[in-house]
Amino acid sequence: MIRRCESALCLDMNGAAVDEVLSRALSAPRSIALEELEWLLSCDDCGVRRLIYSAARAVRLKCGRDVVLPRALIETSNLCAKDCRYCGIRRSNRNIARYRIPLGEIAEIISRVRAEGFDAVAFQGGEIESGENTAYYERILEMCAGLQVTLSLGEQEKDVYSRWRKAGALRYLLRIESSSRRIFADLHPHGQSFDRRVECIRTLKGLGYVTGTGIMTCLPGQRPADLAADIVFFASVDADMVGMGPWIPHPAAPLSASGDYSAEKAVELTCRMIALARLYLHEVNIVSATALEALAGSEGRERGIEAGANVVMPNFTPSAYRSNYDLYPGKAECGR
Ligand code: SAM
């Protein structure tokens, strides 16, 4: 089994032990121990990584999620009241033109989505809590009859989530960003609350949304133990969907990378998280995130799928808006 050595978790997990953990993971969800997840995240052996990816694909096949599901992504607005320290559309960034796509244009985009044969669409935008914002998305939902709609619009009051659910929204994605309170506090200004975010995720679940959450990898100070705990967190909120991507430093955001940040490491670690989330949770939809593509080109998304993801989100945001939905460098060129 796993034995702790002086430096971190070391690696008395031999080939046979890895095989045993992975076959246990294959047979039932939630059957990997926290310290085993931590070890599998720390391990640099590329043979072990290959075993993890292949076991994750086997689980995906076993739970009937071996078909990649496309959801058309529309980035409705970059207006945001929040000031997250990692994000390029944070309130304090004055170097982007703020937009909200007019409803007439949204109708045209939805027609294109339908014409291209999509049955699922996702609307994502900055975080605004106002009556006008609530009504704007209600109008959009009215246009979406027959489509499965995902919303990703941040923290809102229960009443707002409830109105959007009644107006037809089926799914909601709200990443916790990190389940570590320490890291969450580093990522957000004072006043943005970890507890409220968790409460929102639970509220969404209670309202009957197909509920997604997720995290960013490669954050400053994030250790394998934190990432292992993130996977257990997804289970604790009974997540139906998981979206994870590498954090990509943005020049207009204050969170800065340490010297050892590397794009390849960020892509590999994200793929390993995808695989381990699949192995731990089994029956969830897992997105192969756009940020993988921003770091590794089209191969980035394919690597997410190879690691066990089963959802992709081609970007339908018109080019006139895309460059201002500037979450991280390289974002605007991704997705289509
Ligand atoms: N405001 C909504 C929310 O918070 O859920 C949705 C929009 S938010 C911009 C969408 C996601 O973008 C966040 O959950 C975050 O994980 C991701 N994101 C923002 N800045 C990023 C960055 N610099 N690198 C990678 N992902 C980033």
Side-chain angles (χ1 to χ4, degrees), residues 86-87 125 127 152 154 175 177 197 216 246 248 325 327-328:
Y86 49 87
C87 186
E127 209 163 305
S152 182
R175 287 183 179 178
E177 313 298 357
R197 206 140 176 108
M216 289 179 286
I248 304 178
Y325 201 77
L327 307 185
Y328 44 78

Side-chain angles (χ1 to χ4, degrees), residues 54-276:
S54 121
R57 289 193 298 273
V59 168
R60 184 179 61 192
L61 181 63
K62 184 183 164 201
C63 22
R65 303 211 180 213
D66 222 25
V67 175
V68 176
L69 305 170
R71 316 227 190 281
L73 174 66
I74 305 172
E75 294 152 340
T76 35
S77 171
N78 65 359
L79 298 169
C80 194
K82 295 288 170 76
D83 219 18
C84 306
R85 298 186 67 245
Y86 49 87
C87 186
I89 65 166
R90 65 199 304 265
R91 185 184 65 217
S92 302
N93 183 7
R94 314 249 179 262
N95 299 324
I96 47 171
R98 298 286 168 172
Y99 72 86
R100 188 165 74 182
I101 305 180
L103 288 170
E105 278 184 60
I106 295 280
E108 286 167 20
I109 304 167
I110 292 171
S111 299
R112 199 150 52 81
V113 165
R114 290 184 198 276
E116 293 199 22
F118 284 76
D119 64 358
V121 64
F123 298 99
Q124 192 187 86
E127 209 163 305
I128 298 287
E129 293 186 61
S130 74
E132 189 198 1
N133 191 62
T134 306
Y136 170 78
Y137 287 102
E138 281 176 329
R139 296 292 83 74
I140 289 180
L141 286 160
E142 281 166 16
M143 299 175 197
C144 290
L147 293 170
Q148 299 167 28
V149 178
T150 304
L151 297 178
S152 182
L153 305 169
E155 294 167 25
Q156 303 285 338
E157 291 298 318
K158 180 176 183 183
D159 166 59
V160 173
Y161 289 144
S162 173
R163 277 173 61 177
W164 289 338
R165 180 88 183 98
K166 284 189 189 124
L170 172 68
R171 306 187 175 100
Y172 204 104
L173 179 60
L174 183 64
R175 287 183 179 178
I176 188 68
E177 313 298 357
S178 169
S179 69
S180 151
R181 285 178 184 271
R182 168 183 55 85
I183 298 172
F184 189 95
D186 285 346
L187 296 181
H188 299 102
H190 189 67
Q192 283 184 232
S193 148
F194 179 87
D195 290 323
R196 185 182 188 216
R197 206 140 176 108
V198 175
E199 191 53 41
C200 284
I201 294 168
R202 294 196 188 283
T203 299
L204 289 160
K205 195 78 198 169
L207 288 169
Y209 278 95
V210 177
T211 302
T213 189
I215 53 107
M216 289 179 286
T217 64
C218 286
L219 291 164
Q222 190 182 48
R223 300 161 305 199
D226 300 309
L227 291 166
D230 289 336
I231 292 175
V232 174
F233 172 84
F234 303 153
S236 75
V237 294
D238 200 13
D240 305 295
M241 312 184 285
V242 172
M244 293 181 286
W247 165 59
I248 304 178
H250 190 294
L255 193 71
S256 54
S258 61
D260 66 351
Y261 184 95
S262 114
E264 174 49 33
K265 201 171 111 192
V267 170
E268 200 289 320
L269 186 58
T270 305
C271 289
R272 205 152 0 145
M273 280 294 283
I274 289 173
L276 291 172

